[in-house]
Amino acid sequence: MELTIIQKIVVYALPVIFAITVHEAAHGYVAKYFGDMTAFNAGRITLNPLKHIDPFGTVVLPALTIMLGGILFGWAKPVPVDFGRLRNPKKDMLWVAAAGPASNFVMAVFWVLALKYAAFAPDAIAYPVSLMAEAGIKINLVLMVLNLLPLPPLDGGRIAVSLLPYRLARPFARIEPYGFVILIVLLFTGVLGSILQPLISLVGGLLSNLL
């Protein structure tokens, strides 16, 4: 049965908010673990979605991409991290950045298990839970793969800066002010979808086979 636009938004609402909230909170928690209290002091290490929601990136844009089809896309308010306050800034940056995509992988596993065991629930519950689980798998795989792209300020860009030697890391990090513009251009030209879709399918297939 084809869902209406309103039904799609209802199905995706909880998985999207949950995925983005946990992703951002994970960055803040790991930053605190490695010595930076910026996110903690700002009250951003929390599962309260209101602390992380960006009106356009978390609400409007995901709703538009659901209505128009294609890659589900959006963002939350970035958790503030002062990398200079980390005990070993260049090394610890990797773990802070990786925490977000790692949290999305864990949530994707959760939704795969929810989809698997929804079949044992009563029919009235099984169908909506299955739809929500499929949405949860999709959004978390999109966020994980998207954020691992090696483009600052995405998490993959910060991981690359952490791994590169200083002589390469410094010029690479200077891309960051333009990274968001590059990402939007890639999105609206269809290039981003062409890059992400095969990777999302690959990871989704591996996850399904493992579980």
Side-chain angles (χ1 to χ4, degrees):
M1 181 180 69
E2 182 68 24
L3 298 179
T4 67
I5 296 300
I6 298 300
Q7 287 173 326
K8 285 182 180 179
I9 291 173
V10 170
V11 165
Y12 273 90
L14 183 61
V16 167
I17 291 171
F18 189 42
I20 290 175
T21 297
V22 175
H23 179 108
E24 294 301 330
H27 284 311
Y29 178 80
V30 175
K32 179 175 178 284
Y33 178 82
F34 284 106
D36 175 33
M37 302 294 289
T38 306
F40 177 79
N41 292 334
R44 294 294 303 279
I45 305 180
T46 174
L47 294 180
N48 178 1
L50 296 178
K51 294 285 188 178
H52 303 290
I53 286 176
D54 177 274
F56 182 75
T58 314
V59 181
V60 176
L61 189 58
L64 284 174
T65 57
I66 288 171
M67 288 188 285
L68 298 174
I71 291 290
L72 183 61
F73 187 74
W75 61 81
K77 288 191 292 187
V79 163
V81 176
D82 185 343
F83 293 104
R85 293 185 177 182
L86 299 173
R87 286 189 287 273
N88 188 330
K90 192 170 184 300
K91 177 183 175 184
D92 297 343
M93 180 192 300
L94 184 151
W95 303 110
V96 175
S103 73
N104 291 125
F105 179 78
V106 172
M107 284 185 283
V109 170
F110 165 80
W111 286 115
V112 168
L113 293 174
L115 180 61
K116 179 178 180 179
Y117 290 106
F120 299 101
D123 291 343
I125 298 174
Y127 184 61
V129 169
S130 296
L131 291 176
M132 193 172 291
E134 289 173 0
I137 295 166
K138 182 177 179 180
I139 183 60
N140 279 288
L141 290 181
V142 168
L143 283 177
M144 183 185 76
V145 173
L146 171 66
N147 277 283
L148 286 174
L149 293 179
L151 175 67
L154 295 178
D155 298 327
R158 300 198 188 282
I159 291 170
V161 169
S162 177
L163 294 174
L164 288 170
Y166 279 105
R167 62 185 178 81
L168 297 176
R170 289 182 187 277
F172 185 72
R174 293 194 189 105
I175 299 172
E176 183 162 340
Y178 315 103
F180 187 73
V181 175
I182 294 170
L183 196 62
I184 294 297
V185 170
L186 292 176
L187 172 66
F188 285 103
T189 57
V191 174
L192 186 63
S194 299
I195 295 171
L196 294 183
Q197 197 59 61
L199 297 173
I200 292 168
S201 298
L202 175 64
V203 177
L206 291 173
L207 198 58
S208 298
N209 290 334
L210 286 173
L211 297 176

